[in-house]
Amino acid sequence: MADFLTHLECSKTGEVYESDVLQNLSRQNVPLLARYDLEKIKQRVKKSDLKGRKANMWRYEEFLPVREPACKITLGEGFTPLRKTDRLAENIGLQQLFVKDESINPTGSFKARGLSMALSAALERGVNEFVIPSAGNAAGALSAYAAEAGVKAHVFMPNDTPSAFILECEYFGAAVNLVDGLIDDCGRIVQEKKQVHNWFDVSTLKEPYRLEGKKTMGLELAEQLNWELPDVIIYPTGGGTGLLGIWKAFTELKQIGWVSGEMPRMISVQAEGCAPIVKAFEEGKTSAETWPDAHSIASGIRVPGGVGDFLILQTLDESNGGAVAVPDEAILQYSNVMAENTGIFPAPEGGATLAGLIKLKEQGLIDAHEKVVLINTGSGYKYIETFKKKQTLKAEAI
Ligand SMILES: *Cc1c(COP(=O)(O)O)cnc(C)c1O
């Protein structure tokens, strides 16, 4: 298999770390980023080489960190459809609107990409016991890949996590722990337990390779749009790996000359009940404060704080993008609107991107002619209880 990964880099200081051994955060307690010999990729790989490769995220192997084929744990994740949603676009008053439909990934969310990659890379580096704090989808994905690999997963989730997530983890054979608190409380418990038990921590951005899995969304977007990047990408932001991954993909593609011209504006959508990035963005800050009393039905973005806040804000700034908060009522309403107009049953987080788009459009921050991509990060089928609770809320005309 191709080997273009050269090293890891501290996202704050640029300090170099070895990529052949297990790593979590840098000495500064910030994420490590995977670096490749892009010059060599540029010389050796052509866009046309992708033709005929399997329709999953591993088709971009030169841009990925796993070398040993036997360590590649795959359930067919990635290469999800980029749906051109003309009726929805017309109703909103846009000419070109796309939904990247991550709901069809194994275990029903884009978390499959990151955990397939992180688990594979960690197996290659000798790990066989994993731990994760999660709002649900990450735990389900880790559990599924651990089941396929035949290794042990320990998952820690808030006790109000919808039951589909809890059940799937149990069925996949993971050790399930429910915590009276939010995902950051789960994270604190994981911090203690992993040391005692010597478990490998695959928390968001606390090891370098989930990000590389999420990066494949950006590689796919570029390939699926025939290497012409969109104008705007709207992403439901929790810990931010997806947003950072997509941006990392575009940056690498630009460096090897596969894409050119304007980069897309990256937009973070959060729930009004938990919007640390939106608040920091609006205040012009370079880092975010932990959000007190976080609440939202969109549990995947109910993330009060994380280690990647400064990187998310940097990306929003660099891309000339933005951040917008939407209320839970709008999240439900627009999940419904997306479903009715596209046949996609989105996770509430996916509905949030449409609610965010409507708000930005009303504020004049997106023009009718612009090419916009919404990232529907997961499937609504796992949130049945959430949707049921609010069933009475029917979408009004857009
Ligand atoms: C985890 C998750 C998110 C947030 O992803 P981050 O990478 O943490 O920003 C959004 N939507 C869904 C469905 C999720 O499971």
Side-chain angles (χ1 to χ4, degrees), residues 109-111 137-138 204 214 235-242 300-301 303 347 349 377-378 383:
S109 88
F110 75 149
K111 292 292 195 307
N137 275 317
T204 298
K214 295 274 180 83
Y235 176 79
T237 306
T241 6
I301 54 174
V303 180
E349 295 82 355
T377 43
Y383 295 81

Side-chain angles (χ1 to χ4, degrees), residues 209-246:
Y209 301 122
R210 271 177 74 180
L211 182 63
E212 296 305 289
K214 295 274 180 83
K215 183 178 84 178
T216 59
M217 275 192 294
L219 299 172
E220 285 172 25
L221 280 173
E223 188 183 359
Q224 289 170 324
L225 290 168
N226 204 19
W227 312 103
E228 297 210 356
L229 298 182
D231 298 303
V232 179
I233 293 179
I234 305 186
Y235 176 79
T237 306
T241 6
L243 182 109
L244 299 175
I246 292 170

Side-chain angles (χ1 to χ4, degrees), residues 78-81 83 99-113 137 217 338 342-348 350 374-383:
F79 220 75
T80 55
R83 292 270 315 279
V99 178
K100 180 72 170 154
D101 186 16
E102 291 294 299
S103 71
I104 64 150
N105 274 303
T107 67
S109 88
F110 75 149
K111 292 292 195 307
R113 298 178 188 263
N137 275 317
M217 275 192 294
M338 187 184 287
T342 66
I344 295 168
F345 185 18
L374 306 178
I375 311 290
N376 173 41
T377 43
S379 166
Y381 291 104
K382 288 164 99 178
Y383 295 81

